[in-house]
Structure formats: C-alpha cells, structure tokens
Amino acid sequence: MSPTSEELLEAVLSEPFSHVSTEGPLWRTAAQRDRFRDDPGRSSIAVCAPADTIGAVTWRPGHTPGFLRLDIVSNDDAAWHAATVAAAVERAMDHITRTSHVRRVELLFGAYNEPLLEYVTSERGRFDVEGILRDRFFIDGRHWPGVLCSADMELFRPARREPDEHREELMRRLHEKTIEDLTSKGLGAAREAPSDPDGGL
C-alpha cells in the first residue's frame, strides 16, 4: 500500500538537520511535527527522487490577503540540486496560481543553502532577490545572512486556456438544455406571489 501524503510529510519532518530546509536546522518533537503536518492553513506537495521522497514544498497564507510564504523541507540534502529546486518550486507555484488568488509569494533561506542560491541565480530562477538579512540564520557554528526573495508572478501565471470549438459547442448545448429544462418545468415563467391567507390583515 502506498504511503499517504501525511505519512510522507511525517517522514520528511522527522529529519532534524538540513542545509536545504528553508527554516534552517531545527529539532522537531513529535508534537511539533503533528502541529506542522495538521496545520489546516498549510498546503504541501511531496518532492520525490526516482526511488524515495527527498522532501516537500509547503506554503501558508500570511495575514495580508494574497500573500503566501513558501518553504522547502528536506530529508535528503544530497538529492537536492538547482534543477530539483526548480522542478519542485514550479510544481508548487503551478498549483498555487491555478487554485488561489495570489499577489505575492515569498521565499526566505540562509545564504549557506547552495541549491537555493544556485536556483535563484540561474536562468530557471523566477524569484527576485529583494534583500539580505544580516545574521538571520545560525548553522555550523556561525551566523549567516538570510536571502529574501519574492516570486515574479508574471513568470508563474498559468497560460490562459483559449476556448476551443468542442468546449464552445458544449456550452451552447448547456445553454439550450438550461432553457429547455426551465421552460418545461415552468421554472422560467414569472411566479405570482402567494396569496395571503389572512387577506392582508
């Protein structure tokens, strides 16, 4: 039996140390993993290598309407490269832009995170670097700057589906059937207001 998405995310979150996870190195207790996994405001997709799950991309809305914070969680740093990040982020952003009205998506990570640095500075990187946050992360015995990025939303917008002849024909048939059904059942005619049993008194 294939593992559920919750089981996959639990396996990803159980890895306590990562140079790729955007939150930085941290130890999550079982209760913290449960809260992260069961957060009703958070969405996620698993990221898989040919054989195993290597992490997840998660996102959560902020207080401002149309704002989302994107995070990457890794349980196998060696499997992550710029192309892996690009594929995972593009898949997540495709889902986000097709199902949400979003204006801003942020990504924050430590300057030690080589796969994400390579991604944002590559041709496939569709994020604008907006600032460097001094001493934002601590790992390997020293402080590191944080890199604050925002998605170039125009590059992530899904292509608008142009109406084709088949869909137009379906809509025409739907329109005709709607009129036919409403007319045959008397629902299209104006209804008289029910009489007042008390005679208006």
Side-chain angles (χ1 to χ4, degrees):
M1 180 181 295
S2 300
T4 65
S5 58
E6 291 79 8
E7 290 170 339
L8 289 175
L9 188 56
E10 171 68 21
V12 170
L13 295 175
S14 63
E15 175 60 46
F17 187 89
S18 168
H19 284 83
V20 176
S21 296
T22 51
E23 289 184 294
L26 56 100
W27 179 269
R28 290 189 181 91
T29 65
Q32 289 172 330
R33 294 199 300 271
D34 289 344
R35 284 196 297 271
F36 187 100
R37 186 191 63 235
D38 298 334
D39 182 352
R42 187 181 299 274
S43 302
S44 65
I45 58 170
V47 180
C48 300
D52 300 300
T53 301
I54 63 171
V57 180
T58 75
W59 58 94
R60 197 181 195 288
H63 295 294
T64 303
F67 165 72
L68 293 175
R69 167 73 178 273
L70 200 69
D71 282 297
I72 290 177
V73 186
S74 166
N75 64 321
D76 185 357
D77 284 4
W80 286 86
H81 307 281
T84 315
V85 175
V89 168
E90 288 167 13
R91 182 180 166 211
M93 289 296 295
D94 181 68
H95 180 81
I96 289 170
T97 55
R98 289 180 182 276
T99 60
S100 307
H101 180 66
V102 58
R103 293 183 60 88
R104 178 180 176 83
V105 178
E106 276 187 5
L107 178 65
L108 174 65
F109 60 92
Y112 56 82
N113 193 327
E114 291 188 11
L116 267 74
L117 281 177
E118 291 174 355
Y119 164 68
V120 299
T121 57
S122 71
E123 293 184 357
R124 288 186 69 178
R126 302 179 187 178
F127 279 75
D128 298 324
V129 178
E130 295 187 334
I132 304 297
L133 308 181
R134 185 174 58 189
D135 296 341
R136 176 61 174 78
F137 292 89
F138 186 87
I139 192 172
D140 295 337
R142 58 167 287 193
H143 285 92
W144 294 78
V147 183
L148 178 63
C149 307
S150 68
D152 185 335
M153 298 306 299
E154 290 304 316
L155 298 179
F156 282 110
R157 298 290 181 196
R160 187 180 297 275
R161 294 179 62 187
E162 297 297 332
D164 55 35
E165 293 183 3
H166 177 63
R167 193 179 310 114
E168 289 181 348
E169 171 62 17
L170 288 176
M171 294 305 296
R172 185 190 64 77
R173 286 160 49 188
L174 175 63
H175 178 71
E176 292 178 352
K177 178 169 175 53
T178 302
I179 294 176
E180 178 184 342
D181 291 348
L182 292 176
T183 302
S184 65
K185 296 181 180 179
L187 299 177
R191 295 180 176 179
E192 296 183 0
S195 59
D196 189 337
D198 296 325
L201 296 178

